[in-house]
Amino acid sequence: MSQKLILDCDTGTDDAVAIMLAALHPELDLVGVTTVNGNVEVQYCTDNTLRVLDHIGRAEIPVYEGLRRPIVRSDFPVPRHSEVNPSSNIHGRELPLPPATSRKQDTGAVEFLVETYRATTDEIALVPVGPLSNIAAAIAIEPRLVEAVPEVVIMGGGNVKGNATPSAEFNIWADPEAAAAVFAAGFPRITLVPLDATHQALVSREQCQALAALGTPAGEAAATLIGQRITGYDATQPMATPGSAPVHDALCVAYLLHREVLDVQRTHVDVETAGALTVGRTVIDLYSRSGKEPNCDVALGADAGLFVDFMLRTFAPRS
Ligand code: RIB
Ligand code: CA
């Protein structure tokens, strides 16, 4: 039986690869994609999601547009898309894929999440890979969601790394109150996939060539999108191995089918919402200093070879 999931995305380049993996792997059943303001304004995230699904022939997977602002703050950070220096654009505003012909659903993302988890008797994993605004809003409306979601796999945070500020990772920083609410909600199984793990699963230009050589729409799109990421990372935040980049969100999808792709440690995670220098920081209690019960499995390591192999196999032609 395939693993059902919902992806909650702020669709830029790495979200797009995550969507393609979830939509194409035969052991995954992507029930729907919800979008949220993040990498770019939510309407572009939605349009990008539709482009990706159309491009790989999975336009029947429904897309639900979500929140255009954080749940508390009105000062959402401006999108990181740079008109001035396109080479620094890790995401860009519109993905380099043909315009979509499919349309988003009339139902909004938060309503979809609440109604789906209220009604389902199936186990549907929830995989948020953007700011946690939709998820926090859904549990505020329906607190029993916490019991209905068997597993949450979140891309976000960092133990020793930040990328939006020296202290904070983008997804958590972009809506810290939402993130704090999600970690405090009491979900029985949360896995946090922070930068500490995703920066160990780097993809190189040579591996992009191997993806392109698959000759499938997904393989070629992944090569283009990850190539764009490598150019952006080399220009703005070079990785330990230059000419390579993390594909953060896709690692969460790999983990659903290959638990061994991540090294996880059970611990307590809080989110800083007040610190002038540290807002959006995930406070990861690796040495049990807080005395609080663990609420999360945190990934501190990743197997890059396994991850790239998973992408190559998923995007290969099917006989
Ligand atoms: O910090 C990495 C995260 O921020 C990824 O989810 C990326 O898509 C952006 O949203
Ligand atoms: Ca994302």
Side-chain angles (χ1 to χ4, degrees):
M1 208 172 65
S2 53
Q3 162 76 63
K4 290 182 186 286
L5 75 149
I6 294 170
L7 268 176
D8 185 69
C9 297
D10 58 334
T11 306
T13 48
D14 59 332
D15 307 73
V17 179
I19 291 167
M20 294 194 293
L21 289 170
L24 292 175
H25 197 289
E27 290 166 39
L28 293 174
D29 177 0
L30 182 57
V31 172
V33 182
T34 52
T35 64
V36 66
N37 204 356
N39 287 317
V40 285
E41 296 96 325
V42 72
Q43 64 272 27
Y44 291 105
C45 297
T46 304
D47 177 63
N48 285 337
T49 304
L50 294 166
R51 287 177 186 234
V52 172
L53 291 170
D54 278 13
H55 182 69
I56 60 169
R58 296 302 315 270
E60 80 282 8
I61 294 173
V63 176
Y64 304 87
E65 188 163 285
L67 297 193
R68 39 189 76 236
R69 281 189 24 199
I71 58 167
V72 173
R73 295 168 191 248
S74 57
D75 59 339
F76 187 83
V78 290
R80 296 187 291 181
H81 171 75
S82 166
E83 304 283 0
V84 179
N85 179 10
S87 74
S88 71
N89 282 334
I90 291 170
H91 299 282
R93 182 171 284 151
E94 287 169 343
L95 293 180
L97 295 172
T101 54
S102 60
R103 295 281 169 264
K104 68 179 178 182
Q105 302 293 306
D106 292 337
T107 305
V110 176
E111 187 183 350
F112 166 72
L113 289 168
V114 169
E115 293 309 325
T116 300
Y117 282 109
R118 271 182 181 153
T120 190
T121 54
D122 295 332
E123 302 238 307
I124 306 175
L126 179 58
V127 184
V129 295
L132 289 160
S133 320
N134 289 338
I135 315 305
I139 56 180
I141 291 169
E142 176 51 279
R144 286 175 302 170
L145 218 68
V146 164
E147 293 136 39
V149 179
E151 171 166 25
V152 189
V153 182
I154 297 171
M155 192 283 128
N159 183 41
V160 295
K161 292 171 188 285
N163 61 2
T165 74
S167 291
E169 180 279 334
F170 177 77
N171 288 342
I172 306 297
W173 171 78
D175 196 344
E177 286 78 14
V182 170
F183 282 102
F187 284 105
R189 188 172 184 194
I190 299 181
T191 302
L192 180 67
V193 185
L195 298 175
D196 310 81
T198 65
H199 284 197
Q200 293 179 37
L202 302 176
V203 180
S204 68
R205 288 216 187 269
E206 292 70 31
Q207 290 165 331
C208 287
Q209 284 169 6
L211 286 162
L214 296 172
T216 58
E220 289 171 356
T224 301
L225 296 166
I226 299 171
Q228 180 174 325
R229 296 181 62 75
I230 293 171
T231 302
Y233 269 88
D234 278 352
T236 61
Q237 40 180 315
M239 294 284 101
T241 311
S244 68
V247 193
H248 314 280
D249 300 347
L251 194 54
C252 297
V253 177
Y255 178 68
L256 287 179
L257 294 179
H258 294 284
R259 301 295 167 167
E260 68 277 24
V261 78
L262 297 176
D263 290 329
V264 300
Q265 183 171 331
R266 183 133 193 91
T267 187
H268 187 89
V269 174
D270 273 324
V271 176
E272 176 60 76
T273 56
L277 296 175
T278 53
V279 67
R281 180 171 182 79
T282 43
V283 180
I284 301 174
D285 189 13
L286 290 178
Y287 300 105
S288 305
R289 300 294 84 193
S290 69
K292 294 178 181 171
E293 281 296 310
N295 59 353
C296 187
D297 288 326
V298 178
L300 297 170
D303 184 332
L306 183 55
F307 172 57
V308 173
D309 189 54
F310 177 73
M311 284 198 290
L312 286 166
R313 280 185 288 109
T314 307
F315 297 153
R318 304 220 174 267
S319 45

